[in-house]
Amino acid sequence: AFRLHAENKILSPDLLHIVAVKGDFHVKAGGITEPRTYFGLKCNGGFFRNKVKFGLPNIQGLILLYDGENGSPLAIFESGDITIKRTGAATAAAVKYLAPENADTVTICGCGIQGRVQLRSIAQVRTIKNVFAYDINREIAAKFSEEMSGELDIRVSTVSELAKAVSQSRICVTCTPAREYFIKKEYISDGAFIAAVGADSPEKQELEPELTASCKVVTDILEQCAHVGELHHAIKNNLMTKKDVYAELGEVITGTKSGRGSDEEKIIYDATGTALQDVAAAAYIYEKSLKENIGEVFQFPE
């Protein structure tokens, strides 16, 4: 998906954000044109008190997949699993191209489902030896540490001193619904790579704007990050402009822009999540479902 975006083999993605009384809705749409043209639309509701109050997922939604040549609806998917896994996969791609080759220590901020997927994904592209788990809910962090250390056979420890953990890590992932930054510029050591995953609406924020402005910034989609990502907050504080962004991830993947320039360079991957990832994943599942006769087939009444 990122490669196709860099090569302009896409139907341009767009984003709509709607605030609700106790949550918000994200509508993401876009398409890819290879190996065939698909268009997809995802609508997710983010209500982060759901699990505690109602026993429901905090994020729920649907993906609609269309034939991009004639507009025919092809499939409907529950969006949660696709969103979770494609987000982790995108971070792994960013780590592959932008994190230090010898990075073996990771801090995960946010120990829910997404934190687990992030760590699993990173472990596919780097040899991880030590993980610091941080969450405002210590019980969730402790459960994460126990389960993920057993699953991945690596040392995972719960931490309360975030500054110390981040300063010792070459990779840091933030995947929370925070609305106030908690990663400060002073925490980051030379050579660090930060995947800022949580901020996907104007109100969300995980990184101090001064930190974002002091690093090499690579976005998933530049225009989107300028409106809803960590870049948005740096621009709002008059610390950066869009011209200060080094590259989009697709440019690095295709070699249009180089990746890490030195072992000391500090790099932020600003990830707001793009419809192109959703469409690529949905198209893959759709084609696999046809081959393996998976799913329920139905026709709209004429």
Side-chain angles (χ1 to χ4, degrees):
F2 290 117
R3 183 183 298 278
L4 291 174
H5 180 253
E7 295 172 347
N8 200 30
K9 297 176 181 177
I10 59 164
L11 306 178
S12 295
D14 208 346
L15 170 69
L16 177 64
H17 174 250
I18 299 170
V19 177
V21 177
K22 296 181 180 179
D24 51 24
F25 290 93
H26 294 238
V27 181
K28 294 179 178 178
I32 56 176
T33 61
E34 285 190 0
R36 60 177 281 192
T37 302
Y38 287 105
F39 171 82
L41 182 147
K42 181 176 76 174
C43 181
N44 272 1
F47 292 76
F48 289 92
R49 290 182 289 180
N50 271 5
K51 192 166 186 179
V52 173
K53 292 194 72 174
F54 308 114
L56 295 171
N58 289 337
I59 299 176
Q60 303 174 87
L62 296 173
I63 296 174
L64 307 180
L65 185 68
Y66 294 80
D67 187 315
E69 304 251 341
N70 59 32
S72 298
L74 300 175
I76 300 173
F77 303 87
E78 187 276 325
S79 69
D81 204 40
I82 291 175
T83 301
I84 290 165
K85 290 178 179 176
R86 63 82 156 148
T87 304
T91 297
V95 168
K96 176 181 177 181
Y97 288 94
L98 299 171
E101 290 286 345
N102 62 352
D104 60 7
T105 302
V106 179
T107 293
I108 300 289
C109 301
C111 297
I113 294 172
Q114 186 56 243
R116 285 168 163 75
V117 172
Q118 291 286 319
L119 183 54
R120 290 184 192 116
S121 300
I122 292 169
Q124 294 187 53
V125 293
R126 289 292 185 273
T127 302
I128 304 303
K129 298 178 181 178
N130 189 37
V131 178
F132 299 118
Y134 176 83
D135 197 289
I136 58 174
N137 186 321
R138 293 296 301 275
E139 291 183 6
I140 290 176
K143 185 176 181 181
F144 176 96
S145 297
E146 180 182 353
E147 293 177 355
M148 296 307 294
S149 61
E151 177 184 326
L152 299 177
D153 194 25
I154 55 179
R155 184 170 59 187
V156 183
S157 53
T158 304
V159 295
S160 56
E161 295 183 37
L162 184 57
K164 184 177 180 180
V166 172
S167 68
Q168 295 175 359
S169 301
R170 302 301 295 278
I171 297 173
C172 176
V173 179
T174 59
C175 49
T176 76
R179 292 174 179 257
E180 294 182 7
Y181 69 79
F182 54 87
I183 300 291
K184 298 181 179 180
K185 179 181 177 181
E186 64 201 58
Y187 296 176
I188 307 302
S189 301
D190 288 346
F193 168 82
I194 305 169
V197 177
D200 58 0
S201 67
E203 296 80 18
K204 292 181 181 179
Q205 184 179 14
E206 299 176 304
L207 308 185
E208 184 178 27
E210 286 79 6
L211 168 60
T212 304
S214 69
C215 296
K216 175 191 278 189
V217 175
V218 177
T219 63
D220 52 8
I221 302 290
L222 175 59
E223 291 297 327
Q224 196 166 287
C225 290
H227 285 91
V228 300
E230 297 298 339
L231 175 62
H232 158 74
H233 295 287
I235 292 174
K236 186 178 179 180
N237 283 274
N238 297 314
L239 298 171
M240 291 181 71
T241 70
K242 289 188 287 186
K243 292 182 180 179
D244 295 318
V245 173
Y246 174 71
E248 292 182 323
L249 181 57
E251 294 178 293
V252 177
I253 291 172
T254 57
T256 304
K257 295 283 186 72
S258 60
R260 174 167 288 275
S262 70
D263 290 339
E264 292 74 34
E265 200 167 37
K266 301 174 185 178
I267 299 179
I268 291 173
Y269 170 55
D270 192 4
T272 52
T274 163
L276 303 179
Q277 298 166 258
D278 298 314
V279 174
Y284 170 79
I285 297 168
Y286 169 71
E287 292 178 358
K288 185 175 182 180
S289 298
L290 292 181
K291 290 179 182 178
E292 300 184 11
N293 196 28
I294 298 171
E296 297 182 21
V297 178
F298 68 95
Q299 297 291 333
F300 289 110
E302 295 184 2

